[in-house]
Every structure is written in C-alpha cells, then in structure tokens.
Amino acid sequence: GGPLAAAGARRTSAPTGSASGSRGPPRMVDIVLGAALHDPQLHDAFAALTVGKAQQLSRVKPGQVYRFQNTAGRRHGKIELFRRLASQSLHLQADSKERHIDVPGGATPLELTASVTREGDRVAVALRGGAAPSGDVFVAVAVGRAQQLARLGVVDVFRLPCAAGVRWGKVEVFQRFASAFAQIDLTHGVMSSEVSVPCSGAASGAVTLQLTVGPIGVATARPRPAVSAELR
C-alpha cells in the first residue's frame, strides 16, 4: 500500500472511445463490492481497491462502487481490508494547536502528533510519533474528498488540496488484516467473481468477497463512489 490522494486530484479525462460499446476493453470501469456481512471479521471494516497507481478506500458495505477512470492494460487489482484503530478531527488553520492521537494496541500504545501548514491552495499535515503497534498500521489524512493513505512511518508529511472554506480535516489510523489480488479483465464484458482474501495477524482464515466488474453504468445503475486516490 501507499498514500492515497483524492477525488478529482490528478484525475485524467476518459479517452475517446473508452466508453461501453467501443472496441477493446473499456478504460473506465466500476467495481462493485459484495460481501458476506455476517462474517464477524467484516464488522466495521474498510476496504481499499488498487488498480495500477489508483486506489480507493471505503467502509465495507454491499453495493459499494469503486470507480476507476484509466484501466487500459490492467488485468488485476489488489484488495486490502482494514480495521480502524483511531480517528481525530483536525483544524486546518496554520496557527492551530497540535493534535494528539492515541492509538490502542500492542504492549505500548502509540501516540501521534499532527500539525498543519497552509501552502496556498493545499495543506500539509505533518505527523510525529513513536514506534507503531505490531502489524500493518496505516495512517489516512482526509481533507474534504481528498485523502491520502500510507503505511505508518513511510510518509511523514501528507499534502492535499484544500478548497477555500474547508476548515476541518481528519486523521485516521488503520490496521490491515487481509489482502489479495483479484482479476479485473474486461475483455469479455461484465465479470462477476468471488475472491478469497486471506487474513493475517490476529485475524484468522479468509474473507470471501464478491466482485462485479463492468463499464461505468453497466455494473450498477446507482453508483456510490468510494473516495478516490492515487498511490505514490
């Protein structure tokens, strides 16, 4: 995994001929997530789907749509499941006080400190903290619909676009408990499949997810887009 960036940020327009009905696999696709919500390991879980350098994150729920705009040449994606450990609102004024984020887990709980710097139409959120709890721990910083997600300790400063009037953001800490690769080849049109996602750490067994992949507007008639992002 790597950092996430946001809806609309660095997003390219769909090339002509990429819509449904054109020759070859479409470049703009919807991936619809279906999950066995009776599985206790999915209670209050979050799912991230990655296709190339684009990644989207959302709470696990049936019918959630992950929309990707440029999938040309991509035949596989990655699914990661997370559990949220902590969440803290963040005032985006440059002179605002540092915020402390306590993260439970492990023999020594983690404490992060977040500070904000305004950079024109962007905002920089710097994080400081000690050693992470055991396991795959990630930090997400959200400002409006912009969001970045990175493994704790890999990225120290998160820079996101910040529209005028946006005064609050959010810092969240996640622990990854499962990941797997999934086929997204659209050569033959809409595709549905079941993906077994092996769990790790304290979690056990595997989680089975249903994926329906198709051109935008075909896989689902009522999309609920997840937060879009770009890895770096």
Side-chain angles (χ1 to χ4, degrees):
L4 290 152
R10 303 184 190 177
R11 175 173 286 181
T12 57
S13 300
T16 303
S18 65
S20 176
S22 62
R23 293 184 178 180
R27 296 185 179 183
M28 300 175 62
V29 300
D30 283 341
I31 301 177
V32 185
L33 178 67
L37 294 184
H38 61 272
D39 189 326
Q41 296 190 104
L42 289 178
H43 175 67
D44 205 27
F46 290 72
L49 269 65
T50 305
V51 179
K53 290 187 176 182
Q55 186 180 59
Q56 297 185 15
L57 172 72
S58 178
R59 188 184 299 274
V60 172
K61 54 187 175 183
Q64 179 65 56
V65 177
Y66 297 78
R67 178 161 291 176
F68 294 91
Q69 291 203 7
N70 188 5
T71 61
R74 304 290 181 182
R75 302 175 68 91
H76 294 85
K78 186 177 183 180
I79 303 173
E80 298 172 283
L81 298 177
F82 296 90
R83 189 160 289 113
R84 186 166 59 187
L85 302 178
S87 179
Q88 175 67 61
S89 60
L90 191 65
H91 200 279
L92 299 179
Q93 296 301 316
D95 57 352
S96 61
K97 296 181 179 179
E98 291 185 340
R99 301 301 298 266
H100 296 280
I101 306 153
D102 295 319
V103 183
T108 305
L110 169 70
E111 181 178 281
L112 293 174
T113 301
S115 58
V116 175
T117 303
R118 297 301 294 250
E119 300 177 347
D121 60 353
R122 303 179 69 83
V123 64
V125 179
L127 295 177
R128 293 184 291 107
S134 59
D136 288 337
V137 178
F138 290 70
V139 177
V141 178
V143 176
R145 286 196 54 81
Q147 180 167 281
Q148 290 184 355
L149 173 73
R151 188 187 298 272
L152 184 62
V154 173
V155 176
D156 297 322
V157 181
F158 296 75
R159 291 181 169 85
L160 300 97
C162 183
V166 177
R167 300 180 60 189
W168 291 91
K170 183 164 59 176
V171 177
E172 297 175 291
V173 181
F174 294 94
Q175 186 162 37
R176 185 174 63 182
F177 68 90
S179 64
F181 288 94
Q183 186 177 357
I184 60 166
D185 185 10
L186 290 182
T187 303
H188 304 293
V190 177
M191 179 189 73
S192 295
S193 62
E194 286 190 352
V195 179
S196 179
V197 187
C199 298
S200 59
S204 60
V207 174
T208 299
L209 302 175
Q210 294 179 338
L211 293 184
T212 301
V213 185
I216 285 180
V218 175
T220 177
R222 298 169 61 184
R224 293 179 292 181
V227 174
S228 182
E230 181 176 309
L231 298 175
R232 70 178 183 185

